Amino acid sequence: MIFGLCDVNNFYVSCERSFDPRLNGRPVIVLSNNDGCAVARSNEVKALGVKMGAPLHQIQHLVKQHNFAVFSSNYSLYADMSHRFEAMIEKYTPNIEKYSCDEMFFQLDGQEHRGNLGAYMRQMVQDIKRGLGLPVCVGLAPTKTLCKIANHYAKSLSVAGGVLTLFSEYNLKNALEILPVNEIWGIGRKHTEHLAKLGITTALQLRDAERKWIRKRFSVVVERTLMELRGVSCLELNEVAEKKKQIVCTRSFGEKTESQTVLREAIGYHVSRACVDLRSQQSVAKSITVGIRTNPFSKQDRQCVRSVTIELPYPTDNTCDFQAAATQALNRIYQTGYKYKKAGIMLNGLSDKGVVQYDLFHRHQPKDDAIMQVMDQINARYGKDVLRCGSQGFEATWVMNSNRKSPRYTTDWNDIIGAS
DNA sequence: TCTGGGGTCCTAGGACCC
DNA sequence: TCTGGGGTCCTAGGACCC
């Protein structure tokens, strides 16, 4: 079996460029929620030394000087492009794991490419470029971790055709010898520091280290990484997307607020979002955590970070139950005199809706399910939050900044190119 | 003035059980 | 001075990922 990884170069930026070719060759960045940081950068921007997650206000001089095109993130566009990207790969192999919106792992059994794997994959790369306007790179190797590395080199070396394979010991050795450990999938900042103290700074050194010794000093995770570098596959392809084990919804506010009403409305909004998500995967949740905080970067504001978890009497997927619990939670943590910047909620203890055990005194109300179903249907048809809980309010004074969003080219009739 | 959001897995340690 | 052993479940916290 052969593993492959196909990922889109600078995904969000490439989506924007796909619908506006004038952006090609021009420095482009896409901002995080609330227009805070640069979360996607074109190669021109990377070449200027702008780091992933750089706060916009810190790079304003470059933005002006080099005439960056700057976009707020347009998630409905990116999600739609992601689906199309996945569908294109499916034409080449049925065994796909959607690892993230812009990365697909897959497996090839050696039959479909008729002896010329490279050509088969280059064809796929071309197809995606032509069909979606997205530039992608492919890495092929015996393990997922090595695929990541092959993909990394395909991209950073601008390999012709966008496909790089890592199979022979000769190629592997050369690739791993010059790769710093922190570039390995699964080795982050802490592990890098720790490894450096042990004299391990390159991928090759990690691969050839003593397995038991690494296991003892780190954990099975790093041990697995080591084995994967040796070409022993320890990570399988997960083709079926598993259900989420927790659902989180948090947002910063466009402006700071001291008002409990505004906090309650923001939290109400997040609860609604999370519950729709919960029901769509046919789960119920046991508890909800509500959190609020001030701006941690602010020097002059007094800081306050609070959160509380409320256990529900029974696991449920009912928005109203969670709204009531959330309001109760907010009452417990809210304190006057602070300028709050962010609020969020988390649904925990998820389980399958069908298999929940209720006790003797629980009266399950089929009516509640019907109400939620109707609410989901109406909102799906007429727009989200047409029907909502009162606690969400109607003003949404807290909404984040998103001033530079591109049109929803593929998901809104009015924004389709050519529509008047 | 301005700094994102949403996840997963693993381990250690405590509570509890027989 | 003496105070078992083995197991499971749960949670908090750390580390990592995109």
Side-chain angles (χ1 to χ4, degrees):
Chain A
M1 271 296 187
I2 293 167
F3 282 99
L5 172 66
C6 181
D7 92 333
V8 183
N9 308 342
N10 316 325
F11 182 54
Y12 294 174
V13 166
S14 297
C15 288
E16 299 294 345
R17 278 182 171 166
S18 177
F19 290 91
D20 188 354
R22 288 171 302 177
L23 296 170
N24 289 322
R26 188 174 162 194
V28 181
I29 54 174
V30 176
L31 302 174
S32 62
N33 272 328
N34 224 11
D35 292 348
C37 312
V39 290
R41 304 151 292 155
S42 69
N43 290 345
E44 297 81 3
V45 174
K46 288 178 185 173
L48 287 168
V50 174
K51 294 271 176 278
M52 172 67 178
L56 178 61
H57 69 95
Q58 282 175 14
I59 54 169
Q60 276 300 0
H61 58 290
L62 291 172
V63 172
K64 282 211 188 89
Q65 192 184 333
H66 297 275
N67 188 28
F68 284 17
V70 180
F71 292 91
S72 303
S73 31
N74 186 344
Y75 293 111
S76 44
L77 175 67
Y78 309 148
D80 186 58
M81 292 299 278
S82 177
H83 287 133
R84 292 169 194 232
F85 170 51
E86 187 181 6
M88 295 289 278
I89 293 177
E90 229 157 21
K91 291 199 295 186
Y92 287 80
T93 167
N95 308 111
I96 299 180
E97 172 188 342
K98 181 167 191 167
Y99 180 66
S100 75
C101 63
D102 67 330
E103 277 178 82
M104 307 286 162
F105 278 109
F106 53 86
Q107 260 179 334
L108 301 167
D109 58 20
Q111 298 308 308
E112 52 282 86
H113 49 83
R114 296 194 184 150
N116 197 339
L117 194 56
Y120 188 66
M121 288 290 102
R122 283 192 291 275
Q123 175 69 44
M124 182 173 86
V125 170
Q126 262 182 36
D127 233 18
I128 294 170
K129 178 70 189 167
R130 205 168 24 229
L132 301 178
L134 297 178
V136 302
C137 281
V138 172
L140 299 172
T143 69
K144 285 168 115 181
T145 303
L146 289 173
C147 275
K148 275 279 200 182
I149 293 171
N151 186 285
H152 165 81
Y153 280 120
K155 207 181 303 185
S156 59
L157 302 177
S158 302
V159 166
V163 180
L164 194 136
T165 60
L166 274 184
F167 290 104
S168 72
E169 170 59 16
Y170 177 77
N171 284 342
L172 276 168
K173 204 171 171 202
N174 284 334
L176 299 183
E177 203 161 21
I178 51 167
L179 192 74
V181 277
N182 63 298
E183 298 278 350
I184 304 169
W185 190 38
I187 305 295
R189 195 171 50 86
K190 291 282 182 182
H191 286 342
T192 300
E193 284 171 19
H194 192 169
L195 285 164
K197 282 193 194 130
L198 301 172
I200 296 177
T201 55
T202 70
L204 191 66
Q205 287 171 331
L206 179 59
R207 183 191 80 168
D208 296 339
E210 224 263 299
R211 175 181 175 177
K212 294 232 172 69
W213 183 71
I214 289 293
R215 166 72 216 242
K216 217 166 69 191
R217 279 172 176 70
F218 296 87
S219 66
V220 285
V221 184
V222 179
E223 184 191 17
R224 271 202 296 253
T225 300
L226 177 150
M227 292 310 286
E228 286 244 321
L229 290 174
R230 291 184 186 175
V232 179
S233 176
C234 305
L235 302 169
E236 294 176 356
L237 195 74
N238 304 312
E239 293 179 54
V240 269
E242 304 207 347
K243 290 186 180 184
K244 288 184 207 165
K245 293 164 184 168
Q246 59 176 200
I247 294 174
V248 180
C249 226
T250 65
R251 288 285 181 284
S252 298
F253 308 141
E255 283 169 23
K256 292 182 260 192
T257 182
E258 292 190 46
S259 153
Q260 188 173 1
T261 306
V262 171
L263 289 176
R264 191 175 62 233
E265 291 181 358
I267 287 166
Y269 177 86
H270 299 324
V271 169
S272 294
R273 286 283 81 73
C275 287
V276 168
D277 215 6
L278 184 68
R279 288 192 292 273
S280 75
Q281 65 164 33
Q282 272 109 53
S283 295
V284 287
K286 206 166 63 176
S287 66
I288 178 171
T289 303
V290 174
I292 53 177
R293 69 171 310 154
T294 48
N295 181 358
F297 298 103
S298 172
K299 293 268 189 300
Q300 74 271 19
D301 292 344
R302 287 195 308 143
Q303 295 293 316
C304 175
V305 182
R306 305 200 72 193
S307 73
V308 67
T309 300
I310 290 191
E311 208 62 37
L312 276 84
Y314 305 97
T316 176
D317 64 357
N318 189 294
T319 303
C320 303
D321 292 345
F322 284 112
Q323 293 288 11
T327 302
Q328 190 194 330
L330 179 62
N331 288 340
R332 274 168 51 185
I333 55 177
Y334 174 78
Q335 291 179 309
T336 49
Y338 292 99
K339 296 187 170 107
Y340 296 98
K341 179 65 177 172
K342 188 178 193 173
I345 68 112
M346 189 176 359
L347 303 181
N348 321 295
L350 271 59
S351 54
D352 282 350
K353 179 160 176 145
V355 300
V356 177
Q357 296 279 324
Y358 297 104
D359 71 28
L360 189 57
F361 302 103
H362 178 67
R363 293 201 337 274
H364 184 66
Q365 303 274 12
K367 246 205 275 181
D368 292 342
D369 280 349
I371 291 171
M372 287 302 116
Q373 227 177 52
V374 167
M375 191 158 108
D376 287 342
Q377 279 166 6
I378 289 178
N379 286 335
R381 181 155 171 190
Y382 297 103
K384 68 181 178 191
D385 293 331
V386 167
L387 205 58
R388 66 181 112 183
C389 295
S391 51
Q392 237 181 282
F394 291 91
E395 299 294 333
T397 47
W398 54 275
V399 292
M400 60 190 188
N401 300 316
S402 182
N403 300 321
R404 312 154 197 251
K405 199 149 127 189
S406 54
R408 286 167 292 184
Y409 295 110
T410 62
T411 55
D412 191 310
W413 286 113
N414 298 315
D415 288 350
I416 288 175
I417 291 175
S420 57

